[in-house]
Amino acid sequence: MCMKMPTSWAWTKAWKMKPFAVPVVLVAAWKVRLSSIDNAVIGNNIYAGARKSASNGGAYVGGDTRISISGNSRVKGNVYAGGSEKGSEFATVVEGDTYIEISGGTVEKDIYGAGNEDIVNGGTNIVLSGGEVMGDVYAGGKASAIGKDTHVSL
C-alpha cells in the first residue's frame, strides 16, 4: 500500500512534521523476495525501503522492511534493508525494524542492515544461512541513524 501525503507537509531530519511545498511518499510496509523459483538477477542495488532524491521530498516506510534471497538468485550491487536519502534536507525514514535473510544465491557487493543515508527508528537484523557474499556485511547502514540494536547471525 502506498499513499501520497499532502504536498504541504514533509518529514525533516528532526523527525517532526513541518510545512514544505514538497510531496512525501508513505509506504505501509515493504518486502522484497528473490527466490529459486525466479532465479532472479538484479543488475544493481536493492533497497527494501524507499528511495528519494532532492527533487521529490522525503519518503517514509511506516512498518518493517524485509529482503529474502535464496536459490540461484544473483545481486550484482549492494543490498540495503533500509532506504536511500541521497543528499537533501528531507529524510528517508523506516519506522520499524529491517530484516535481510540470505539462504542461497550470490551478492556480489556489500550488505547493509539499514540504508544509504537514511533513518531506521527500529533495529536491524541480518541472517546469513547460505549463499555467497563477495563483499562486506554491515549490521548498520552507510551513514545512517539507527534507533535500536543491530544484529548479524551466521
Side-chain angles (χ1 to χ4, degrees), residues 2-79:
C2 186
M3 304 174 288
K4 194 163 189 177
M5 201 172 197
T7 58
S8 60
W9 295 91
W11 282 94
T12 68
K13 284 191 178 189
W15 306 343
K16 296 178 183 173
M17 296 298 289
K18 299 236 177 174
F20 287 99
V22 179
V24 174
V25 176
L26 297 177
V27 180
W30 201 263
K31 292 182 182 177
V32 177
R33 291 185 188 248
L34 303 179
S35 70
S36 57
I37 297 170
D38 298 325
N39 292 320
V41 176
I42 305 298
N44 209 340
N45 300 329
I46 294 177
Y47 293 90
R51 181 171 190 261
K52 61 149 259 0
S53 64
S55 64
N56 72 356
Y60 179 81
V61 178
D64 298 342
T65 63
R66 189 173 304 270
I67 295 176
S68 299
I69 300 174
S70 64
N72 294 320
S73 297
R74 178 178 282 297
V75 179
K76 294 185 176 185
N78 295 316
V79 175

